[in-house]
Coordinates of all heavy atoms in Angstrom, one line a residue:
M15 N -4.2 -11.5 -9.5 CA -4.6 -10.2 -10.0 C -3.5 -9.2 -9.8 O -2.8 -9.2 -8.8 CB -5.9 -9.7 -9.2 CG -6.4 -8.4 -9.7 SD -7.8 -7.8 -8.8 CE -9.0 -9.1 -9.2
D16 N -3.2 -8.4 -10.9 CA -2.1 -7.4 -10.7 C -2.7 -6.0 -10.5 O -4.0 -5.9 -10.4 CB -1.2 -7.4 -12.0 CG -2.0 -7.1 -13.3 OD1 -3.2 -6.7 -13.2 OD2 -1.5 -7.2 -14.4
C17 N -1.9 -5.1 -10.3 CA -2.3 -3.7 -9.9 C -3.2 -3.1 -10.9 O -4.1 -2.3 -10.7 CB -1.1 -2.8 -9.5 SG -0.3 -3.4 -8.0
K18 N -2.8 -3.3 -12.2 CA -3.5 -2.7 -13.3 C -5.0 -3.2 -13.3 O -5.9 -2.4 -13.4 CB -2.9 -3.2 -14.6 CG -3.1 -2.3 -15.8 CD -2.4 -2.9 -17.0 CE -1.6 -1.9 -17.7 NZ -1.0 -2.5 -19.0
K19 N -5.2 -4.5 -13.1 CA -6.5 -5.0 -13.1 C -7.3 -4.5 -11.8 O -8.4 -4.2 -11.9 CB -6.4 -6.6 -13.1 CG -7.7 -7.2 -12.8 CD -8.2 -8.1 -14.0 CE -9.7 -8.4 -13.9 NZ -10.1 -9.6 -14.4
A20 N -6.5 -4.5 -10.7 CA -7.2 -4.1 -9.4 C -7.6 -2.6 -9.5 O -8.8 -2.3 -9.1 CB -6.2 -4.2 -8.3
T21 N -6.8 -1.7 -10.0 CA -7.2 -0.3 -10.1 C -8.4 -0.1 -11.1 O -9.3 0.7 -10.9 CB -6.1 0.6 -10.5 OG1 -5.4 0.1 -11.7 CG2 -5.1 0.8 -9.4
R22 N -8.4 -1.0 -12.2 CA -9.5 -0.9 -13.1 C -10.8 -1.3 -12.4 O -11.8 -0.7 -12.6 CB -9.2 -1.8 -14.3 CG -10.2 -1.5 -15.5 CD -9.7 -2.1 -16.8 NE -9.6 -3.6 -16.7 CZ -10.7 -4.4 -16.9 NH1 -11.8 -3.9 -17.2 NH2 -10.5 -5.7 -16.8
L23 N -10.7 -2.4 -11.7 CA -11.9 -2.9 -11.0 C -12.4 -1.9 -9.9 O -13.6 -1.7 -9.8 CB -11.6 -4.2 -10.3 CG -11.6 -5.4 -11.3 CD1 -11.3 -6.7 -10.5 CD2 -12.9 -5.6 -12.0
L24 N -11.4 -1.2 -9.3 CA -11.8 -0.2 -8.3 C -12.6 0.9 -8.9 O -13.6 1.4 -8.4 CB -10.6 0.3 -7.5 CG -10.0 -0.6 -6.5 CD1 -8.6 -0.1 -6.1 CD2 -10.9 -0.8 -5.3
S25 N -12.2 1.3 -10.1 CA -12.9 2.3 -10.9 C -14.2 1.8 -11.4 O -15.2 2.5 -11.3 CB -12.0 2.8 -12.0 OG -10.8 3.2 -11.6
D26 N -14.2 0.6 -11.9 CA -15.4 0.0 -12.4 C -16.5 -0.1 -11.3 O -17.7 0.1 -11.6 CB -15.2 -1.4 -12.9 CG -14.5 -1.5 -14.3 OD1 -14.2 -0.4 -14.8 OD2 -14.3 -2.6 -14.8
A27 N -16.0 -0.4 -10.1 CA -17.0 -0.5 -9.0 C -17.8 0.7 -8.8 O -18.9 0.7 -8.2 CB -16.3 -0.9 -7.7
E28 N -17.3 1.9 -9.3 CA -18.1 3.1 -9.2 C -19.3 3.1 -10.1 O -20.3 3.8 -9.8 CB -17.2 4.3 -9.6 CG -15.9 4.5 -9.0 CD -16.0 5.1 -7.6 OE1 -16.6 6.2 -7.5 OE2 -15.6 4.5 -6.6
E29 N -19.2 2.3 -11.2 CA -20.2 2.3 -12.2 C -21.1 1.1 -12.3 O -22.2 1.1 -12.9 CB -19.6 2.6 -13.5 CG -19.2 4.1 -13.7 CD -18.0 4.2 -14.6 OE1 -17.8 3.4 -15.5 OE2 -17.2 5.2 -14.4
R30 N -20.5 0.0 -11.9 CA -21.3 -1.2 -12.0 C -21.0 -2.2 -10.8 O -20.0 -2.0 -10.1 CB -20.9 -2.0 -13.3 CG -19.5 -2.5 -13.3 CD -19.3 -3.3 -14.6 NE -17.9 -3.7 -14.7 CZ -17.4 -4.9 -14.1 NH1 -18.2 -5.7 -13.4 NH2 -16.1 -5.2 -14.2
E31 N -21.9 -3.1 -10.6 CA -21.8 -4.1 -9.6 C -20.7 -5.1 -10.1 O -20.8 -5.6 -11.2 CB -23.1 -4.8 -9.4 CG -23.1 -5.8 -8.3 CD -23.7 -5.2 -7.0 OE1 -24.3 -4.1 -7.1 OE2 -23.6 -5.9 -6.0
L32 N -19.7 -5.3 -9.2 CA -18.7 -6.3 -9.6 C -19.2 -7.7 -9.4 O -20.1 -7.9 -8.5 CB -17.4 -6.1 -8.8 CG -16.7 -4.8 -8.9 CD1 -15.5 -4.7 -8.0 CD2 -16.3 -4.4 -10.3
T33 N -18.7 -8.7 -10.1 CA -19.1 -10.0 -9.9 C -18.5 -10.5 -8.6 O -17.5 -9.9 -8.1 CB -18.6 -11.0 -11.0 OG1 -17.2 -11.0 -11.0 CG2 -19.1 -10.4 -12.4
A34 N -19.0 -11.6 -8.1 CA -18.5 -12.2 -6.8 C -17.0 -12.5 -6.9 O -16.2 -12.3 -6.1 CB -19.3 -13.4 -6.4
R35 N -16.7 -13.1 -8.1 CA -15.3 -13.4 -8.4 C -14.4 -12.2 -8.4 O -13.3 -12.2 -7.8 CB -15.3 -14.1 -9.7 CG -14.0 -14.8 -10.1 CD -14.0 -15.1 -11.6 NE -12.7 -15.7 -12.0 CZ -12.4 -17.0 -12.0 NH1 -13.3 -17.8 -11.7 NH2 -11.2 -17.4 -12.4
E36 N -14.8 -11.1 -9.1 CA -14.1 -9.9 -9.1 C -13.9 -9.3 -7.7 O -12.8 -8.8 -7.3 CB -14.7 -8.9 -10.0 CG -14.6 -9.2 -11.5 CD -15.5 -8.2 -12.3 OE1 -16.5 -7.7 -11.8 OE2 -15.1 -8.0 -13.5
R37 N -15.0 -9.3 -7.0 CA -14.9 -8.7 -5.6 C -13.9 -9.5 -4.7 O -13.2 -8.9 -4.0 CB -16.3 -8.8 -5.0 CG -17.2 -7.6 -5.3 CD -18.3 -7.4 -4.3 NE -19.1 -8.7 -4.0 CZ -20.1 -9.1 -4.7 NH1 -20.6 -8.3 -5.7 NH2 -20.8 -10.2 -4.4
F38 N -14.0 -10.8 -4.9 CA -13.1 -11.6 -4.1 C -11.6 -11.4 -4.4 O -10.8 -11.2 -3.6 CB -13.4 -13.1 -4.3 CG -12.6 -14.0 -3.4 CD1 -12.9 -14.2 -2.1 CD2 -11.5 -14.7 -4.0 CE1 -12.1 -15.1 -1.3 CE2 -10.7 -15.5 -3.2 CZ -11.0 -15.7 -1.8
G39 N -11.3 -11.4 -5.7 CA -10.0 -11.1 -6.2 C -9.5 -9.8 -5.8 O -8.3 -9.6 -5.3
L40 N -10.4 -8.8 -5.9 CA -10.0 -7.4 -5.6 C -9.8 -7.3 -4.1 O -8.8 -6.6 -3.7 CB -11.1 -6.5 -6.0 CG -10.9 -5.0 -5.8 CD1 -9.7 -4.5 -6.6 CD2 -12.1 -4.2 -6.3
R41 N -10.6 -7.9 -3.3 CA -10.5 -7.8 -1.8 C -9.1 -8.3 -1.4 O -8.4 -7.8 -0.6 CB -11.6 -8.5 -1.1 CG -11.9 -8.0 0.3 CD -13.1 -8.6 0.9 NE -14.3 -8.3 0.1 CZ -15.5 -9.0 0.2 NH1 -15.6 -10.0 1.0 NH2 -16.5 -8.6 -0.5
F42 N -8.8 -9.5 -2.0 CA -7.5 -10.1 -1.7 C -6.4 -9.3 -2.1 O -5.4 -9.0 -1.3 CB -7.5 -11.5 -2.3 CG -6.2 -12.2 -2.0 CD1 -6.0 -12.8 -0.7 CD2 -5.2 -12.4 -2.9 CE1 -4.9 -13.4 -0.3 CE2 -4.0 -13.0 -2.5 CZ -3.9 -13.6 -1.3
H43 N -6.4 -8.7 -3.3 CA -5.3 -7.9 -3.8 C -5.1 -6.7 -2.9 O -4.0 -6.3 -2.6 CB -5.6 -7.5 -5.3 CG -4.4 -6.7 -5.8 ND1 -3.3 -7.2 -6.4 CD2 -4.2 -5.3 -5.8 CE1 -2.5 -6.3 -6.8 NE2 -3.0 -5.1 -6.4
V44 N -6.2 -6.0 -2.6 CA -6.1 -4.8 -1.8 C -5.6 -5.1 -0.4 O -4.8 -4.3 0.2 CB -7.5 -4.1 -1.7 CG1 -7.6 -3.0 -0.6 CG2 -7.9 -3.5 -3.0
L45 N -5.8 -6.3 0.1 CA -5.3 -6.7 1.4 C -3.8 -6.8 1.4 O -3.2 -6.5 2.4 CB -5.9 -8.1 1.7 CG -6.1 -8.5 3.1 CD1 -7.0 -7.6 3.9 CD2 -6.6 -9.9 3.2
I46 N -3.2 -7.2 0.3 CA -1.8 -7.5 0.2 C -1.0 -6.3 -0.5 O 0.2 -6.3 -0.4 CB -1.4 -8.8 -0.5 CG1 -2.0 -8.8 -1.9 CG2 -1.9 -10.0 0.3 CD1 -1.4 -9.9 -2.8
C47 N -1.7 -5.4 -1.1 CA -1.1 -4.3 -1.9 C -1.3 -2.9 -1.3 O -2.4 -2.4 -1.3 CB -1.5 -4.4 -3.3 SG -0.8 -3.2 -4.4
T48 N -0.3 -2.3 -0.8 CA -0.4 -1.0 -0.2 C -0.8 0.1 -1.2 O -1.6 0.9 -0.9 CB 1.0 -0.5 0.4 OG1 1.6 -1.7 1.0 CG2 0.8 0.6 1.4
A49 N -0.2 0.0 -2.4 CA -0.5 1.0 -3.4 C -2.0 1.0 -3.8 O -2.6 2.1 -3.9 CB 0.3 0.7 -4.7
C50 N -2.6 -0.2 -4.0 CA -4.0 -0.2 -4.4 C -4.9 0.1 -3.2 O -6.0 0.6 -3.4 CB -4.3 -1.6 -5.0 SG -3.6 -1.8 -6.6
R51 N -4.4 -0.2 -2.0 CA -5.2 0.2 -0.8 C -5.3 1.7 -0.8 O -6.3 2.3 -0.5 CB -4.5 -0.4 0.4 CG -5.5 -0.6 1.5 CD -5.1 -1.7 2.5 NE -3.7 -1.5 3.0 CZ -2.8 -2.4 3.0 NH1 -3.0 -3.6 2.5 NH2 -1.6 -2.2 3.4
R52 N -4.2 2.4 -1.1 CA -4.1 3.8 -1.0 C -5.0 4.4 -2.2 O -5.8 5.3 -2.0 CB -2.7 4.3 -1.2 CG -2.5 5.8 -0.9 CD -1.0 6.2 -1.0 NE -0.2 5.3 -0.1 CZ 1.0 4.9 -0.5 NH1 1.5 5.2 -1.7 NH2 1.7 4.1 0.3
F53 N -4.9 3.8 -3.3 CA -5.8 4.2 -4.5 C -7.2 4.1 -4.1 O -8.0 5.0 -4.4 CB -5.5 3.3 -5.7 CG -6.2 3.7 -6.9 CD1 -6.0 4.9 -7.6 CD2 -7.2 2.8 -7.4 CE1 -6.7 5.2 -8.7 CE2 -8.0 3.2 -8.5 CZ -7.7 4.4 -9.2
Q54 N -7.6 3.0 -3.4 CA -9.0 2.7 -3.0 C -9.5 3.8 -2.1 O -10.5 4.4 -2.2 CB -9.1 1.4 -2.4 CG -10.5 1.0 -2.0 CD -10.6 -0.3 -1.3 OE1 -9.8 -0.7 -0.5 NE2 -11.6 -1.1 -1.7
S55 N -8.6 4.2 -1.1 CA -9.1 5.2 -0.1 C -9.1 6.6 -0.7 O -10.0 7.4 -0.4 CB -8.2 5.1 1.1 OG -6.9 5.4 0.8
Q56 N -8.3 6.8 -1.7 CA -8.3 8.1 -2.4 C -9.6 8.2 -3.2 O -10.3 9.3 -3.3 CB -7.1 8.3 -3.3 CG -5.9 8.7 -2.5 CD -4.6 8.7 -3.3 OE1 -4.6 8.3 -4.5 NE2 -3.6 9.3 -2.8
L57 N -10.0 7.1 -3.9 CA -11.3 7.1 -4.6 C -12.4 7.3 -3.7 O -13.4 8.1 -4.0 CB -11.5 5.7 -5.3 CG -10.9 5.5 -6.7 CD1 -11.3 4.1 -7.2 CD2 -11.4 6.5 -7.7
Q58 N -12.4 6.7 -2.5 CA -13.5 6.8 -1.6 C -13.6 8.3 -1.1 O -14.6 8.8 -1.0 CB -13.3 5.9 -0.4 CG -13.7 4.5 -0.7 CD -13.2 3.5 0.3 OE1 -12.4 3.8 1.2 NE2 -13.6 2.2 0.2
L59 N -12.4 8.9 -0.8 CA -12.4 10.3 -0.4 C -12.9 11.2 -1.5 O -13.7 12.1 -1.2 CB -10.9 10.7 0.0 CG -10.7 12.1 0.4 CD1 -11.5 12.4 1.7 CD2 -9.2 12.4 0.6
L60 N -12.5 11.0 -2.7 CA -12.9 11.8 -3.8 C -14.5 11.7 -4.0 O -15.2 12.7 -4.1 CB -12.2 11.3 -5.1 CG -12.4 12.1 -6.3 CD1 -11.8 13.5 -6.1 CD2 -11.7 11.5 -7.5
R61 N -15.0 10.4 -3.9 CA -16.4 10.2 -4.0 C -17.2 10.9 -2.9 O -18.2 11.6 -3.1 CB -16.7 8.7 -4.0 CG -18.1 8.4 -4.4 CD -18.5 6.9 -4.1 NE -17.4 6.0 -4.5 CZ -16.9 5.0 -3.7 NH1 -17.5 4.8 -2.6 NH2 -15.9 4.3 -4.1
H62 N -16.6 10.8 -1.7 CA -17.2 11.5 -0.5 C -17.3 13.0 -0.7 O -18.3 13.6 -0.5 CB -16.4 11.1 0.7 CG -16.9 11.8 2.0 ND1 -18.0 11.3 2.7 CD2 -16.5 12.9 2.6 CE1 -18.2 12.2 3.7 NE2 -17.3 13.1 3.7
L63 N -16.1 13.5 -1.1 CA -16.1 15.0 -1.3 C -17.0 15.4 -2.4 O -17.8 16.4 -2.3 CB -14.6 15.4 -1.7 CG -13.6 15.3 -0.6 CD1 -12.2 15.6 -1.1 CD2 -13.9 16.2 0.6
L64 N -17.0 14.7 -3.5 CA -17.9 15.1 -4.6 C -19.4 15.0 -4.3 O -20.2 15.8 -4.7 CB -17.6 14.3 -5.9 CG -16.3 14.6 -6.6 CD1 -16.0 13.6 -7.7 CD2 -16.3 16.0 -7.1
S65 N -19.7 13.9 -3.5 CA -21.1 13.7 -3.1 C -21.6 14.8 -2.2 O -22.8 15.1 -2.1 CB -21.3 12.4 -2.5 OG -20.7 12.3 -1.2
H66 N -20.7 15.5 -1.5 CA -21.1 16.6 -0.6 C -20.9 18.0 -1.2 O -21.3 18.9 -0.5 CB -20.3 16.5 0.7 CG -20.7 15.3 1.6 ND1 -20.3 14.0 1.3 CD2 -21.5 15.2 2.6 CE1 -20.9 13.2 2.2 NE2 -21.6 13.9 3.0
A67 N -20.3 18.0 -2.3 CA -20.1 19.4 -2.9 C -21.3 19.8 -3.7 O -21.9 19.1 -4.4 CB -18.8 19.3 -3.8
T68 N -21.7 21.0 -3.4 CA -22.7 21.7 -4.2 C -22.1 22.4 -5.4 O -20.9 22.7 -5.4 CB -23.5 22.7 -3.4 OG1 -22.6 23.7 -3.0 CG2 -24.1 22.1 -2.1
P69 N -22.9 22.6 -6.4 CA -22.3 23.4 -7.6 C -21.7 24.7 -7.1 O -20.6 25.1 -7.6 CB -23.5 23.6 -8.5 CG -24.4 22.5 -8.2 CD -24.2 22.2 -6.7
K70 N -22.3 25.3 -6.1 CA -21.7 26.6 -5.6 C -20.3 26.4 -5.0 O -19.4 27.2 -5.2 CB -22.7 27.2 -4.6 CG -22.5 28.6 -4.3 CD -23.6 29.1 -3.4 CE -23.3 30.5 -2.9 NZ -24.3 31.0 -1.9
M71 N -20.2 25.3 -4.2 CA -18.9 25.0 -3.6 C -17.9 24.7 -4.7 O -16.7 25.2 -4.6 CB -19.0 23.8 -2.7 CG -19.6 24.1 -1.3 SD -20.2 22.5 -0.5 CE -18.6 21.7 -0.3
L72 N -18.2 23.9 -5.6 CA -17.3 23.6 -6.7 C -16.9 24.9 -7.4 O -15.7 25.1 -7.8 CB -17.9 22.6 -7.7 CG -18.1 21.2 -7.1 CD1 -18.9 20.3 -8.1 CD2 -16.8 20.5 -6.7
A73 N -17.8 25.8 -7.7 CA -17.5 27.0 -8.4 C -16.6 27.9 -7.6 O -15.7 28.5 -8.1 CB -18.8 27.8 -8.7
S74 N -16.8 27.9 -6.2 CA -15.9 28.8 -5.4 C -14.5 28.2 -5.3 O -13.5 28.9 -5.2 CB -16.6 29.0 -4.0 OG -16.5 27.8 -3.2
V75 N -14.4 26.8 -5.2 CA -13.1 26.2 -5.2 C -12.4 26.6 -6.5 O -11.2 27.0 -6.5 CB -13.2 24.7 -5.1 CG1 -11.8 24.0 -5.4 CG2 -13.7 24.3 -3.7
Y76 N -13.1 26.5 -7.6 CA -12.5 26.8 -8.9 C -12.1 28.2 -9.0 O -11.0 28.6 -9.4 CB -13.5 26.5 -10.0 CG -12.9 26.5 -11.4 CD1 -12.1 25.5 -11.9 CD2 -13.1 27.6 -12.2 CE1 -11.5 25.5 -13.1 CE2 -12.5 27.7 -13.5 CZ -11.7 26.6 -13.9 OH -11.1 26.7 -15.1
A77 N -13.0 29.1 -8.5 CA -12.7 30.6 -8.5 C -11.5 31.0 -7.6 O -10.9 32.0 -7.8 CB -13.9 31.3 -8.2
S78 N -11.3 30.2 -6.5 CA -10.3 30.5 -5.6 C -8.9 30.3 -6.2 O -7.9 30.8 -5.6 CB -10.4 29.7 -4.3 OG -10.0 28.3 -4.6
G79 N -8.8 29.7 -7.3 CA -7.5 29.5 -8.0 C -6.7 28.3 -7.4 O -5.5 28.2 -7.8
V80 N -7.3 27.5 -6.6 CA -6.6 26.4 -6.1 C -6.5 25.4 -7.2 O -7.4 25.0 -7.9 CB -7.4 25.7 -4.9 CG1 -6.8 24.3 -4.6 CG2 -7.5 26.6 -3.7
R81 N -5.3 25.0 -7.5 CA -5.0 24.0 -8.6 C -4.1 22.9 -8.0 O -3.3 23.2 -7.2 CB -4.3 24.7 -9.7 CG -5.1 25.8 -10.4 CD -6.3 25.3 -11.1 NE -7.0 26.4 -11.8 CZ -8.0 27.1 -11.2 NH1 -8.4 26.8 -10.0 NH2 -8.6 28.0 -11.9
L82 N -4.3 21.8 -8.6 CA -3.4 20.7 -8.3 C -2.0 21.0 -8.9 O -1.9 21.6 -10.0 CB -3.9 19.4 -8.9 CG -5.2 18.8 -8.3 CD1 -5.6 17.6 -9.2 CD2 -4.9 18.4 -6.9
S83 N -0.9 20.5 -8.3 CA 0.4 20.7 -8.8 C 0.5 19.8 -10.1 O -0.3 18.9 -10.3 CB 1.4 20.2 -7.8 OG 1.3 18.8 -7.6
D84 N 1.4 20.2 -11.0 CA 1.5 19.4 -12.2 C 1.8 17.9 -12.0 O 1.3 17.1 -12.7 CB 2.7 20.0 -13.1 CG 2.2 21.3 -13.7 OD1 1.0 21.6 -13.7 OD2 3.1 22.0 -14.2
S85 N 2.6 17.7 -10.9 CA 3.0 16.3 -10.7 C 1.8 15.5 -10.2 O 1.5 14.3 -10.5 CB 4.1 16.1 -9.7 OG 3.8 16.7 -8.4
R86 N 1.0 16.2 -9.3 CA -0.2 15.5 -8.8 C -1.2 15.3 -9.9 O -1.9 14.3 -10.0 CB -0.8 16.5 -7.8 CG -1.9 15.8 -6.9 CD -1.3 15.0 -5.8 NE -2.4 14.2 -5.3 CZ -2.4 12.8 -5.2 NH1 -1.3 12.2 -5.7 NH2 -3.3 12.2 -4.7
R87 N -1.4 16.3 -10.8 CA -2.3 16.2 -11.9 C -1.8 15.0 -12.8 O -2.7 14.3 -13.3 CB -2.2 17.5 -12.7 CG -3.3 17.7 -13.7 CD -3.0 19.0 -14.5 NE -2.8 20.2 -13.7 CZ -3.7 21.1 -13.5 NH1 -4.8 21.1 -14.2 NH2 -3.4 22.2 -12.8
Q88 N -0.5 14.9 -13.1 CA 0.0 13.9 -13.9 C -0.3 12.5 -13.3 O -0.6 11.6 -14.0 CB 1.5 14.1 -14.2 CG 2.1 13.1 -15.2 CD 1.4 13.2 -16.6 OE1 1.2 14.3 -17.1 NE2 1.0 12.1 -17.1
K89 N -0.1 12.4 -12.0 CA -0.3 11.2 -11.3 C -1.8 10.7 -11.5 O -2.0 9.5 -11.7 CB 0.0 11.4 -9.8 CG -0.1 10.2 -8.9 CD 1.0 9.2 -9.2 CE 0.7 7.9 -8.5 NZ 1.5 6.8 -9.0
I90 N -2.7 11.6 -11.3 CA -4.1 11.3 -11.5 C -4.4 10.9 -12.9 O -5.1 9.9 -13.2 CB -5.0 12.5 -11.1 CG1 -4.9 12.7 -9.6 CG2 -6.5 12.3 -11.5 CD1 -5.6 14.0 -9.1
K91 N -3.8 11.6 -13.9 CA -3.9 11.2 -15.3 C -3.4 9.8 -15.5 O -4.1 9.0 -16.2 CB -3.1 12.1 -16.2 CG -3.9 13.3 -16.8 CD -3.1 14.0 -17.8 CE -3.5 15.4 -17.9 NZ -2.5 16.3 -18.6
D92 N -2.3 9.5 -14.9 CA -1.7 8.1 -15.1 C -2.6 7.1 -14.5 O -2.8 6.0 -15.1 CB -0.3 8.1 -14.4 CG 0.7 8.9 -15.1 OD1 0.5 9.3 -16.2 OD2 1.8 9.1 -14.5
L93 N -3.1 7.4 -13.3 CA -4.0 6.4 -12.7 C -5.3 6.2 -13.5 O -5.7 5.1 -13.7 CB -4.4 6.9 -11.3 CG -3.3 6.7 -10.2 CD1 -3.7 7.4 -8.9 CD2 -3.0 5.2 -10.0
L94 N -5.8 7.3 -14.0 CA -7.0 7.2 -14.8 C -6.7 6.4 -16.1 O -7.5 5.5 -16.5 CB -7.6 8.6 -15.2 CG -8.2 9.3 -14.0 CD1 -8.6 10.7 -14.5 CD2 -9.5 8.6 -13.6
W95 N -5.6 6.7 -16.7 CA -5.2 6.0 -17.9 C -5.1 4.5 -17.7 O -5.6 3.7 -18.4 CB -3.9 6.6 -18.5 CG -3.6 6.0 -19.8 CD1 -4.0 6.4 -21.1 CD2 -2.7 4.9 -20.1 NE1 -3.5 5.6 -22.0 CE2 -2.7 4.7 -21.5 CE3 -1.9 4.1 -19.2 CZ2 -1.9 3.7 -22.1 CZ3 -1.2 3.1 -19.8 CH2 -1.2 2.9 -21.2
Q96 N -4.3 4.2 -16.6 CA -4.1 2.8 -16.3 C -5.5 2.1 -16.0 O -5.7 1.0 -16.5 CB -3.3 2.7 -15.0 CG -1.8 2.8 -15.1 CD -1.2 3.0 -13.8 OE1 -1.7 2.6 -12.8 NE2 0.0 3.6 -13.8
A97 N -6.3 2.8 -15.4 CA -7.6 2.2 -15.0 C -8.5 1.9 -16.2 O -9.4 1.1 -16.1 CB -8.3 3.1 -14.0
T98 N -8.2 2.6 -17.3 CA -9.1 2.4 -18.5 C -8.5 1.4 -19.4 O -9.1 1.1 -20.4 CB -9.4 3.7 -19.2 OG1 -8.1 4.3 -19.5 CG2 -10.2 4.7 -18.4
Q99 N -7.3 0.9 -19.2 CA -6.6 0.0 -20.0 C -7.2 -1.4 -19.8 O -7.5 -1.8 -18.7 CB -5.1 0.0 -19.8 CG -4.5 1.3 -20.2 CD -4.8 1.8 -21.5 OE1 -4.5 1.2 -22.5 NE2 -5.5 3.0 -21.6
E100 N -7.2 -2.2 -20.9 CA -7.6 -3.6 -20.7 C -6.5 -4.3 -20.0 O -5.3 -3.9 -20.1 CB -7.8 -4.2 -22.1 CG -9.1 -3.7 -22.8 CD -10.3 -3.9 -22.0 OE1 -10.5 -5.1 -21.4 OE2 -11.1 -3.0 -21.8
P101 N -6.8 -5.4 -19.3 CA -5.8 -6.1 -18.5 C -4.8 -6.8 -19.5 O -5.1 -7.1 -20.6 CB -6.5 -7.2 -17.7 CG -7.9 -7.3 -18.4 CD -8.1 -6.0 -19.1
Ligands
LIG216 ZN1 -1.9 -3.4 -6.3

């Protein structure tokens, strides 16, 4: 399994149950790949934050003018784009 496939599966796992084969391959890849391990923990953090955020909190963060830097924003775009590509 390559990183492209691994990041796609990590994103897919948010929406559907992975097959046993996918889970096994992904677990092994994440074990040996620092980049995908980091991606996985960022996804978990994001999910955690979003699950605890109320609409009021999200609105106040938005209103505070906090914005991601352009490079950070681009990085997230790249990851999302990669994650939606076919292997
Ligand atoms: Zn990887």
Side-chain angles (χ1 to χ4, degrees):
M15 181 177 302
D16 60 11
C17 292
K18 204 181 224 183
K19 172 117 198 212
T21 49
R22 193 166 63 85
L23 285 179
L24 285 169
S25 306
D26 282 3
E28 306 280 303
E29 283 149 30
R30 67 174 174 89
E31 185 97 9
L32 300 180
T33 66
R35 190 194 174 94
E36 286 172 334
R37 276 202 308 272
F38 183 79
L40 184 60
R41 202 172 302 164
F42 182 73
H43 181 89
V44 167
L45 205 64
I46 58 167
C47 178
T48 320
C50 288
R51 206 154 52 232
R52 194 173 307 139
F53 180 71
Q54 183 181 41
S55 61
Q56 286 174 347
L57 271 183
Q58 281 165 355
L59 177 64
L60 191 62
R61 193 189 317 134
H62 176 81
L63 291 174
L64 287 177
S65 71
H66 287 79
T68 62
K70 200 175 167 183
M71 281 163 67
L72 292 174
S74 71
V75 168
Y76 190 76
S78 72
V80 172
R81 298 290 183 271
L82 292 172
S83 66
D84 285 348
S85 64
R86 193 79 193 121
R87 196 189 302 256
Q88 188 57 45
K89 182 76 189 155
I90 291 173
K91 265 189 205 164
D92 291 347
L93 285 172
L94 287 174
W95 185 84
Q96 280 169 21
T98 55
Q99 298 307 299
E100 290 302 314

